[in-house]
Amino acid sequence: MKLLRLAPENTKFPFMRFRRVSYPFSALLSIASVVLFLSVGMNFGIDFSGGTLIELRAKSGAADIAALRATAEHMGVGDVEVQGFGAPSDVTLRFGLQSGGDAAQEVAVSRVKAAIGDGYEIRRTEVVGPRVSGELVQSGTLGVVISILAVLCYLWFRFEWQFAVGAIIATMHDLLLTVGFFALTRLEFNTTSIAAILTIVGYSLNETVVVLDRIREMMRKYRRMPTDQLIDVSVNAVLPRTIMTATTVFLALFALVVFGGQVIRSFSIAMIWGIFVATYSSVFICSPMLIYLGLRSETVGSAPEPSGKLAKTSA
């Protein structure tokens, strides 16, 4: 039985020919992302902006959280966070601030109460502040910066400094475009979105390291081959693996978008965007950067020596 192949074997696609197009294209996207972030801003969710909390108790039996979440999607008040707490009959509803001030917020509260129906007792209604404070955002940003610096040091030690610089540029490129994606699509930015960004960073670094490791391996094997041709050979060698990984992750995330519900939809959509961006950057951003940074085969360690037995045989 033949194995499923999403990419043909022995491809010879000239990826490096497109570096003169990919760099200006990515630069325009990066500038657009910065402009969108500064002018339009992010669509911050309840975790960042605060909102209204309504505590409910089911009049009979346990609270049906799934039914409440399905009802919340049609309330017309934005994202509604439904969460059980304490006894099985207790549940809280949390939704964000409405445009229009206090009057609009009161109308939204009335709409939510009417949609809930008579099956629940409303125990309290109060205004709550954001759960994600400015200090937490600063700490999270600092943590991301420190982790990127740690990766830079590791790649510099494990490979060469050109590899480390290329990997960090590709990762920052992915982060920037993901922020621009949130600003453009107006997806709600909440704590799950932060988890998506951190996951994209990990996925991007994984894809980049796979490509860089193959490039280093090929540089030890073909020491006289020009750098651009060698990178093309390396990228084509890992192309089936890259396509297979991206496809399987995409299918899993697509299932989450369709069946996962509103709670993790922003996470799933952002991750789908991150898959394409990370795959693109590992091939068209990080790999060509090695050419511009002057990487040559002579800078990479020599090929491993054959074992003693094999050397005697060849002699």
Side-chain angles (χ1 to χ4, degrees):
M1 187 177 72
K2 293 184 178 180
L3 296 176
L4 174 64
R5 295 188 181 277
L6 300 180
E9 292 184 356
N10 302 320
T11 56
K12 297 180 180 179
F13 190 81
F15 290 100
M16 293 303 102
R17 287 187 183 179
F18 294 91
R19 67 181 186 273
R20 296 178 179 86
V21 177
S22 64
Y23 272 82
F25 176 69
S26 295
L28 288 175
L29 289 181
S30 300
I31 294 172
S33 298
V34 173
V35 172
L36 284 172
F37 177 74
L38 295 178
S39 60
V40 179
M42 309 289 278
N43 180 25
F44 290 113
I46 306 169
D47 298 325
F48 288 90
S49 61
T52 299
L53 181 140
I54 300 177
E55 183 180 324
L56 307 174
R57 172 169 289 177
K59 293 182 178 179
S60 59
D64 192 345
I65 296 179
L68 285 173
R69 285 176 177 164
T71 303
E73 293 182 0
H74 306 286
M75 290 180 181
V77 295
D79 182 47
V80 180
E81 193 178 278
V82 183
Q83 185 175 4
F85 78 100
S89 59
D90 295 335
V91 65
T92 60
L93 273 72
R94 200 166 183 261
F95 58 93
L97 299 174
Q98 307 295 306
S99 56
D102 295 338
Q105 196 72 13
E106 292 178 2
V107 171
V109 171
S110 302
R111 190 183 306 165
V112 171
K113 290 180 178 179
I116 291 171
D118 299 329
Y120 291 88
E121 171 191 354
I122 299 176
R123 307 194 66 191
R124 65 186 177 98
T125 302
E126 64 180 25
V127 177
V128 293
R131 290 189 296 187
V132 180
S133 63
E135 182 180 355
L136 183 58
V137 172
Q138 293 176 3
S139 301
T141 304
L142 180 61
V144 172
V145 171
I146 293 176
S147 64
I148 290 177
L149 291 176
V151 170
L152 174 64
C153 296
Y154 167 76
L155 292 176
W156 194 332
F157 171 77
R158 182 67 175 82
F159 299 97
E160 281 73 34
W161 68 268
Q162 293 96 333
F163 289 76
V165 173
I168 296 304
I169 290 176
T171 303
M172 298 306 296
H173 165 270
D174 298 343
L175 284 175
L176 197 58
L177 293 194
T178 302
V179 171
F181 177 76
F182 272 103
L184 178 64
T185 59
R186 309 307 297 162
L187 277 177
E188 186 170 282
F189 192 83
N190 47 34
T191 51
T192 59
S193 304
I194 297 177
I197 289 178
L198 295 176
T199 309
I200 290 171
V201 170
Y203 184 88
S204 174
L205 285 172
N206 178 72
E207 288 297 309
T208 302
V209 169
V210 168
V211 174
L212 293 180
D213 189 59
R214 182 55 61 94
I215 291 174
R216 185 180 65 165
E217 178 184 337
M218 291 297 182
M219 280 187 167
R220 290 176 171 177
K221 186 176 182 181
Y222 305 105
R223 304 187 67 82
R224 296 182 180 275
M225 184 180 292
T227 305
D228 56 345
Q229 296 180 21
L230 189 142
I231 293 176
D232 280 335
V233 172
S234 304
V235 174
N236 279 283
V238 299
L239 187 61
R241 179 262 175 203
T242 300
I243 294 178
M244 181 63 74
T245 302
T247 302
T248 52
V249 176
F250 169 77
L251 292 175
L253 291 171
F254 182 75
L256 290 178
V257 171
V258 176
F259 304 109
Q262 189 67 31
V263 177
I264 60 172
R265 182 158 298 168
S266 62
F267 171 87
S268 306
I269 294 175
M271 279 299 303
I272 290 176
W273 167 259
I275 290 173
F276 291 105
V277 170
T279 304
Y280 164 81
S281 67
S282 64
V283 176
F284 292 104
I285 300 298
C286 178
S287 299
M289 184 60 61
L290 303 179
I291 301 174
Y292 295 121
L293 293 175
L295 182 68
R296 296 291 184 268
S297 297
E298 291 77 11
T299 64
V300 181
S302 60
E305 294 292 335
S307 62
K309 184 177 180 180
L310 183 60
K312 292 178 181 178
T313 304
S314 60

